[in-house]
Amino acid sequence: MDLQTQHYLAAGLGALVLGVGALAHTPGRTRNRLFALFCGALALWNLAKVCEVSGLKPAWPWHMIFLLGACAAVPTGVHFILLVAGPSGRRFHGALPALYATASILWLSALTPAYRHQPAWNLAALGVMSGMVTFGLLALRDHMRSLPAGLHRNATRTMAVGAIIGTLGGLSDLVPRGPGGLFKVGPAAILVFLLIVCGVLLRHRFLDVHSFLA
């Protein structure tokens, strides 16, 4: 198993643990359930990639599951951010059905001949996903500005930094590469994001799962 596959495995297992922890500790909270769905999408994205590159047969379903996780992670992540942003995020809630529908169409397009046209499909996916994430980041920015200085504002700022790292790193994997290819930083960036999330949860008790993590 090479270094990149190890990163996919670590990111997938880390996301799985966080998601299970959020559900196991406080399953009744909407925020925790949505966070668990987001972590589940990240886990699906990374663990399916491990199965694909490890040569498990048949390879085609693993690749489609990998794409499913990637496409699902963006709208669920944005949905979670809008929920955390509270009033600042409510003005974006009307766009959520469109975000989920767009992500679904993007994944379904991978089942059509359009997916064979690489790198055009990757560039289109990069543009679509970047546009989705913008909604969440704008809402999070407005939310931070509305908070007084203190622990909650610091926690939100730290989460925003982690989200930017994870987003930029994850979406960078969609940038077309040459025949030799470049090292994909997506799983490493997601792993850094998950570590930042763990730090925020432990220090600021952002999702009430600090005892599980500890």
Side-chain angles (χ1 to χ4, degrees), residues 117-212:
H117 298 286
Q118 300 288 334
W121 190 93
N122 277 33
L123 291 174
L126 180 61
V128 169
M129 291 183 178
S130 298
M132 290 183 190
V133 172
T134 302
F135 280 100
L137 294 180
L138 288 175
L140 201 57
R141 181 201 61 183
D142 293 345
H143 178 57
M144 282 190 292
R145 289 177 176 177
S146 68
L147 293 173
L151 289 177
H152 190 68
R153 185 171 186 174
N154 291 338
T156 305
R157 183 185 295 112
T158 306
M159 287 282 284
V161 171
I164 292 171
I165 292 173
T167 299
L168 291 178
L171 294 183
S172 71
D173 286 357
L174 292 173
V175 175
R177 290 161 168 79
L182 296 174
F183 189 84
K184 293 185 177 180
V185 299
I190 291 173
L191 188 57
V192 170
F193 165 68
L194 293 174
L195 291 173
I196 290 174
V197 170
C198 285
V200 171
L201 296 183
L202 284 171
R203 183 175 181 181
H204 302 288
R205 304 182 179 184
F206 208 59
L207 290 173
D208 297 333
V209 294
H210 54 279
S211 60
F212 170 83

Side-chain angles (χ1 to χ4, degrees), residues 59-74:
W60 181 82
W62 291 120
H63 185 70
M64 293 307 300
I65 292 172
F66 156 73
L67 291 176
L68 176 62
C71 291
V74 174

Side-chain angles (χ1 to χ4, degrees), residues 45-109:
W45 175 0
N46 287 276
L47 295 179
K49 188 64 176 179
V50 172
C51 294
E52 181 187 8
V53 300
S54 297
L56 293 182
K57 301 296 183 181
W60 181 82
W62 291 120
H63 185 70
M64 293 307 300
I65 292 172
F66 156 73
L67 291 176
L68 176 62
C71 291
V74 174
T76 53
V78 172
H79 194 170
F80 174 72
I81 289 175
L82 296 183
L83 189 64
V84 168
S88 300
R90 290 197 187 108
R91 63 192 179 100
F92 293 100
H93 278 200
L96 283 173
L99 294 184
Y100 280 108
T102 302
S104 300
I105 292 171
L106 182 63
W107 181 73
L108 290 173
S109 71

